[in-house]
């Protein structure tokens, strides 16, 4: 029954499409009923501020996952970026932020080259790049955490301050959302990415410069990770080689929970926003239930595996390795 | 035999020659013992990961299983936190925990059809998370003389832990060369469709391989806890990286079907000798992680058979 099966297919696609948003609404309601404080504007603003860094990391890796790849270096990149800011902000001022993001873009370029030209699977290329970046952060920071003084913090008001009662970090997050959405939905790069993710041989055969798109996606991923590191350095007034160490799992979980399939081709920045908010609300819910912050990884790990199992497109991978 | 498959051995010999010229102390018995001590844990972990990588899959849960094993062990043997003193039963329990996590990895991979790198990324953090929840952020001191003895007591000049690692190597060689499972693991890596068509139960082989790997990581956890003298949630940090480096530097191909446990021995020795040499030359340990990262890229780039792979994800 082709008719019947296509109908079923449509329903599943719909379900996948709306499930993340429905989950978010239900979670917000549940946590709100449990702790009415949660629904007060100040708490919600706090939630949005706390989500911003996670969202920026997740946005970067969304571009890579859309292509069917993965970036396991983002937490090391963000940490290294915070170290760069902490070490250079006193001399360079605002330029230090550019330096950090520039380093990120360069690192992403190198990961992309290693992946595309040397034909190394992305998870191993970025795992290795993560090691190199972690090592660089350890050496540069002399294996310690660098705290920023008042003079240095004055350069970071674009992260720590607020406009009209809205924390600046939320505004930065919204700008990232707009830029990333335009890149993903309204440019040739975005369309080509979706095409490559949906079927690489077809995209290649229709003349898409696959390698170039891929390298650009890794540059975006590492660049956004570096930006997240810059913001983290501002929010925590410090830089350290392990500053973002716990961010890898939540970031990838946010993308996948939002409904972007790790097999590529299906996904959007909006979904990543919904996914990031889900992760944040789950985290707050667990804090209300006083779950140990490290033990929260049990939940995130399970959620990740479950979300992958639901969203993955098995027709694309006949053999699951 | 192609020359390429001997490349890791040649690299290892060259490395030893160069380091011993720069610092003759390298060849002293004391330094050999030191090298064996730093090689024993990577060896046990690498052996486990080799089976998975030969299948063409990957296992990122090394640190999760190792940490969980070390923490469970520290809480069940004679320790500074509670009144438990289960001795050898604790060791058995830890091996079962390792097998359990591996079994779950295999089950998720096969039944839910979640790719292994995502499955094991999840269980990595779940394992560390459970270890953290068990400890509540503390560390548990191990007072059991047998466990501590693995790192301290010696036999023919080498700590008992080194002999345990060699026993693991022997068992792994037997599994790889003399059992049906060993041959099926290669068959899966060489071509899974073909293996399935020739009547191999792919699902069973995968689950078995992940389970065995989990047991080896648990042994790694026991040795790590013995070496450190306590169980804490950071005990696994950096282990995954060394493990993968060792396996791929040894020449086991990430695309599956090629490699062996013995090649992993060579890979482990390359990684350990190199870091030992860097210590002798005064290079800080933090640089070594970066060097390992570059080694992974170089080794994978050299070993991949590009003709077979059109699309790399």
């Amino acid at each position: 029954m082709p008719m019947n099966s296509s109908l079923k297919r449509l329903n599943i696609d719909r379900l996948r499409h709306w499930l993340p948003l429905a989950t978010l609404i239900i979670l917000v309601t549940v946590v709100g009923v449990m702790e009415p404080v949660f629904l007060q504007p100040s708490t919600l603003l706090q939630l949005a501020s706390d989500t911003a860094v996670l969202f920026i990391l997740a946005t970067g890796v969304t571009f890579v996952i859309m292509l069917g790849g993965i970036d396991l270096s983002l937490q090391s990149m963000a940490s290294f970026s915070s170290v760069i800011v902490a070490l250079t902000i006193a001399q360079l001022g605002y330029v230090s932020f550019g330096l950090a993001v520039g380093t990120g873009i360069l690192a992403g370029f190198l990961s992309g080259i290693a992946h595309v030209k040397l034909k190394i699977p992305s998870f191993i290329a970025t795992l290795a790049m993560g090691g190199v970046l972690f090592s660089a952060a350890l050496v540069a920071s002399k294996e310690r955490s660098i705290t920023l003084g008042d003079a240095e913090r004055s350069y970071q008001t674009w992260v720590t301050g607020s406009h009209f009662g809205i924390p600046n970090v939320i505004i930065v997050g919204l700008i990232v959302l707009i830029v990333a959405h335009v890149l993903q939905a309204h440019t040739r790069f975005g369309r080509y990415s979706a095409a490559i993710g949906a079927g690489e041989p077809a995209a290649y055969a229709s003349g898409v410069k696959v390698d170039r798109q891929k390298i650009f996606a890794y540059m975006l991923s590492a660049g956004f990770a570096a930006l997240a590191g810059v913001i983290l350095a501002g929010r925590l007034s410090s830089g350290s080689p392990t500053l973002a160490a716990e961010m890898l799992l939540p970031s990838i979980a946010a993308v996948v929970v939002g409904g972007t399939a790790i097999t590529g081709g299906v996904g959007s920045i909006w979904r990543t926003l919904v996914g990031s908010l889900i992760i944040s609300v789950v985290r707050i819910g667990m804090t209300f239930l006083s779950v140990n912050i490290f033990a929260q990884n049990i939940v995130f790990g399970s959620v990740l595996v479950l979300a992958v199992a639901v969203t993955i497109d098995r027709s694309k991978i006949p053999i699951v390795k | 035999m192609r020359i390429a498959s001997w490349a890791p051995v040649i690299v290892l010999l060259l490395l030893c020659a160069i380091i011993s010229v720069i610092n003759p102390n390298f060849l002293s018995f004391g330094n050999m013992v030191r090298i064996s001590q730093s090689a024993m844990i990577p060896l046990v972990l690498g052996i486990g990961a080799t089976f998975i990588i030969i299948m063409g899959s990957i296992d990122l849960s090394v640190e999760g299983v190792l940490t969980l094993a070390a923490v469970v062990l520290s809480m069940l043997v004679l320790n500074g936190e509670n009144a438990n003193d289960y001795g050898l039963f604790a060791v058995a329990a830890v091996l079962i925990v390792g097998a359990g996590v591996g079994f779950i990895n295999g089950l998720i991979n096969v039944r839910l059809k979640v790719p292994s790198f995502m499955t094991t990324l999840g269980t990595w953090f779940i394992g560390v998370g459970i270890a953290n929840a068990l400890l509540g952020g503390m560390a548990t001191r191990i007072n059991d003389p047998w466990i501590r003895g693995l790192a301290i007591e010696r036999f023919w000049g080498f700590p008992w832990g080194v002999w345990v690692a060699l026993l693991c190597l022997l068992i792994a060689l037997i599994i790889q060369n003399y059992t049906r499972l060993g041959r099926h693991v290669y068959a899966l890596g060489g071509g899974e469709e073909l293996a399935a068509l020739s009547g191999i139960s792919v699902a069973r082989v995968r689950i078995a391989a992940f389970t065995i790997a989990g047991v080896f990581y648990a042994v790694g956890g026991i040795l790590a806890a013995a070496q450190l003298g306590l169980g804490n949630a950071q005990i696994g940090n950096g282990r995954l990286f060394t493990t993968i480096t060792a396996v791929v530097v040894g020449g086991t191909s990430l695309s599956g079907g090629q490699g062996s446990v013995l090649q992993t021995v060579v890979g482990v020795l390359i990684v350990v000798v190199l870091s030992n040499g860097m210590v002798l030359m005064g290079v800080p340990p933090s640089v070594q992680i970066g060097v390992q990262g570059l080694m992974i890229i170089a080794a994978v780039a050299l070993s991949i058979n590009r003709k077979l792979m059109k699309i790399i994800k």
Side-chain angles (χ1 to χ4, degrees):
Chain A
M1 299 266 182
M3 176 73 187
N4 217 344
S5 73
S6 69
L7 208 67
K8 207 170 138 197
R9 175 98 202 131
L10 195 70
N11 275 334
I12 289 174
D13 280 348
R14 268 223 189 126
L15 187 71
R16 279 187 193 153
H17 198 80
W18 292 108
L19 192 63
L21 197 59
T23 310
L24 178 61
I25 293 168
I26 293 170
L27 277 173
V28 169
T29 316
V30 168
V31 178
V33 168
M34 260 167 35
E35 293 278 334
V37 187
F38 175 72
L39 293 177
Q40 281 175 7
S42 61
T43 320
L44 289 177
L45 279 180
Q46 185 62 40
L47 173 77
S49 314
D50 291 342
T51 312
V53 172
L54 174 68
F55 169 67
I56 293 170
L57 282 168
T59 296
V61 77
T62 304
F63 288 106
V64 171
I65 293 179
M66 279 289 287
L67 289 164
I70 191 75
D71 186 351
L72 298 180
S73 68
L74 54 93
Q75 79 291 16
S76 303
M77 186 63 245
S79 301
F80 183 36
S81 150
S82 78
V83 169
I84 294 176
V85 168
L87 286 175
T88 60
I89 193 168
Q91 292 94 42
L92 299 179
Y94 291 109
V95 178
S96 68
F97 306 134
L99 183 67
V101 175
T103 309
I105 293 171
L106 178 67
F109 178 72
L110 294 177
S111 298
I113 291 284
H115 168 50
V116 167
K117 298 293 176 205
L118 301 179
K119 308 242 182 232
I120 299 174
S122 59
F123 74 88
I124 215 81
T126 53
L127 188 72
M129 178 53 75
V132 173
L133 294 170
F134 181 48
S135 183
L138 284 173
V139 172
S141 67
K142 302 197 176 64
E143 298 180 38
R144 65 203 160 90
S145 174
I146 305 156
T147 311
L148 297 175
D150 286 333
E152 287 128 6
R153 275 184 228 176
S154 65
Y155 291 108
Q156 292 173 319
T157 48
W158 64 277
V159 175
T160 52
S162 62
H163 277 92
F164 316 111
I166 297 172
N168 286 350
V169 66
I170 298 180
I171 299 170
V172 175
L174 288 176
I175 294 171
V176 167
L177 172 66
I178 293 165
V179 171
H181 173 69
V182 169
L183 263 174
Q184 190 268 319
H186 298 288
T187 63
R188 220 171 345 164
F189 161 73
R191 283 196 301 279
Y192 285 167
S193 301
I196 294 169
E200 195 166 322
Y204 183 77
S206 10
V208 173
K209 292 207 167 48
V210 173
D211 288 3
R212 199 185 291 172
Q213 310 299 330
K214 282 190 173 177
I215 293 173
F216 189 59
Y218 286 92
M219 288 163 73
L220 282 177
S221 179
F224 277 122
L227 176 64
V230 168
I231 292 170
L232 215 51
R235 297 200 79 203
L236 302 175
S237 307
S238 69
S240 109
T242 54
L243 200 68
E246 293 289 326
M247 300 294 289
L248 173 66
L249 186 69
S251 306
I252 294 180
V255 177
V256 179
V257 167
T260 297
I262 59 150
T263 31
V266 184
S268 74
I269 302 299
W270 291 103
R271 293 191 186 196
T272 297
L273 177 65
V274 172
S276 308
L277 287 168
I278 290 178
I279 297 290
S280 275
V281 174
V282 168
R283 178 174 285 160
I284 287 199
M286 286 195 285
T287 312
F288 283 146
L289 294 171
S290 61
V291 177
N292 173 320
I293 185 145
F294 297 108
Q296 292 183 0
N297 275 336
I298 303 171
V299 176
F300 290 138
S302 316
V303 166
L304 173 75
V305 173
L306 209 68
V308 171
V310 172
T311 55
I312 198 167
D313 181 355
R314 294 191 177 79
S315 65
K316 258 187 225 153
I317 35 172
I319 296 170
V320 179
K321 283 286 184 183
Chain B
M1 273 285 223
R2 290 186 308 141
I3 298 177
S5 56
W6 286 99
V9 179
I10 295 167
V11 168
L12 177 61
L13 292 178
L14 273 179
L15 212 54
C16 291
I18 294 170
I19 296 171
S20 49
V21 167
I22 296 173
N23 192 334
N25 270 337
F26 174 76
L27 290 174
S28 68
F29 183 70
N31 197 46
M32 287 298 141
V33 173
R34 219 169 298 139
I35 287 177
S36 75
Q37 272 171 324
S38 28
M40 64 184 190
I41 298 170
L43 178 63
V44 175
L45 301 176
I47 289 170
T50 304
F51 285 108
I52 307 297
I53 294 179
I54 290 177
M55 284 196 310
S57 298
I58 190 73
D59 197 340
L60 302 178
S61 70
V62 175
E63 292 179 17
V65 181
L66 181 140
T67 308
L68 186 59
V71 167
V72 169
L73 181 79
S74 71
M75 298 179 90
L76 289 181
V77 296
L78 190 64
N79 65 67
E81 289 295 313
N82 58 38
N84 289 341
D85 182 11
Y86 296 108
L88 270 181
F89 291 108
V91 172
V94 165
L95 296 181
I96 291 170
V97 167
V101 179
F103 182 76
I104 292 170
N105 277 338
L107 215 57
I108 296 173
N109 178 230
V110 170
R111 298 276 169 245
L112 294 182
K113 293 197 185 295
V114 174
S116 57
F117 79 96
M118 271 292 162
T119 307
T120 53
L121 183 70
T123 45
W124 168 8
F125 286 96
I126 294 173
V128 177
I130 296 176
N132 257 308
L134 287 173
L135 286 171
M138 312 284 282
T140 312
R141 244 170 72 87
I142 295 175
N143 296 328
D144 186 299
W146 285 90
I147 299 296
R148 296 291 286 131
L150 282 174
I152 298 165
E153 302 284 335
R154 288 169 189 231
F155 178 69
W156 286 358
F158 290 93
W160 276 105
V162 174
W163 298 105
V164 170
L166 288 176
L167 178 68
C168 286
L169 174 62
L170 187 68
I171 294 172
L173 281 173
I174 292 171
I175 296 176
Q176 179 191 274
N177 295 330
Y178 299 105
T179 67
R180 221 171 346 160
L181 177 67
R183 286 195 298 277
H184 288 177
V185 164
Y186 278 100
L188 254 60
E192 198 157 314
E193 276 170 10
L194 204 64
L197 286 175
S198 15
I200 295 175
S201 165
V202 171
R204 209 178 292 167
V205 174
R206 291 193 150 268
I207 293 176
F210 273 105
T211 308
I212 290 173
V215 175
F216 281 116
Y217 305 152
V219 175
I222 295 171
L223 294 179
Q227 212 166 47
L228 201 62
L230 48 81
N232 69 25
Q234 289 79 43
I235 200 164
N237 286 3
R239 303 271 187 200
L240 169 70
F241 210 62
T242 314
T243 306
I244 305 235
T245 312
V247 176
V248 300
V249 166
T252 296
S253 152
L254 278 173
S255 32
Q258 279 171 8
S260 75
V261 170
L262 278 181
Q263 280 178 272
T264 297
V265 177
V266 178
V268 167
L269 287 176
I270 290 178
V271 170
V272 172
V273 165
L274 188 66
S275 65
N276 179 271
M278 287 198 281
V279 170
L280 289 180
M281 289 181 237
V283 180
S286 48
V287 177
Q288 294 175 14
I289 306 166
V291 173
Q292 284 187 9
L294 296 176
M295 277 164 72
I296 293 182
I297 294 184
V300 177
L302 290 176
S303 75
I304 282 181
N305 186 347
R306 290 186 185 75
K307 278 178 213 141
L308 289 178
M309 310 181 75
K310 201 92 184 95
I311 296 173
I312 315 283
K313 286 285 182 182

